[in-house]
Amino acid sequence: MIGNILVALVALLTPDFAKASKVLAANQGLYKGFLAAGLVWGLYLGAAGFQVRMFFLICVAIAGLYGAATVGRKILFIQTVPAALGIIALWLGW
């Protein structure tokens, strides 16, 4: 019975949590959109966009490190590792 009460309590709390986190998720999406736009801009600039691409890759890597530290390690592999590989590849001229 206590388990069912706790389940009901969590179910009642979930809509409030979803409503509160909706704005946060939208904000995160906006930031990621800006990072993606910066990377595309760097690609569009061609060779002249090297510094732009590096800047935005570093931003993505740092955001991934922060996310891995505060949210979960999975973010490290999904976001930071690809950005770091991109940084290395650009730096080496690959």
Side-chain angles (χ1 to χ4, degrees), residues 6-23:
L6 291 173
V7 168
L9 217 84
V10 171
L12 290 172
L13 293 174
T14 302
D16 288 334
F17 177 74
K19 185 185 284 186
S21 64
K22 179 181 177 183
V23 173

Side-chain angles (χ1 to χ4, degrees), residues 24-85:
L24 180 60
N27 191 33
Q28 289 174 342
L30 187 61
Y31 279 108
K32 288 184 180 203
F34 285 132
L35 291 173
L39 290 168
V40 170
W41 175 43
L43 289 171
Y44 173 77
L45 293 174
F50 174 82
Q51 292 176 330
V52 172
R53 290 191 304 272
M54 288 297 278
F55 173 78
F56 282 100
L57 282 173
I58 291 168
C59 288
V60 170
I62 292 170
L65 288 173
Y66 182 78
T70 59
V71 178
R73 275 193 187 172
K74 185 178 179 182
I75 294 172
L76 185 70
F77 301 104
I78 293 173
Q79 189 169 333
T80 304
V81 169
L85 291 173

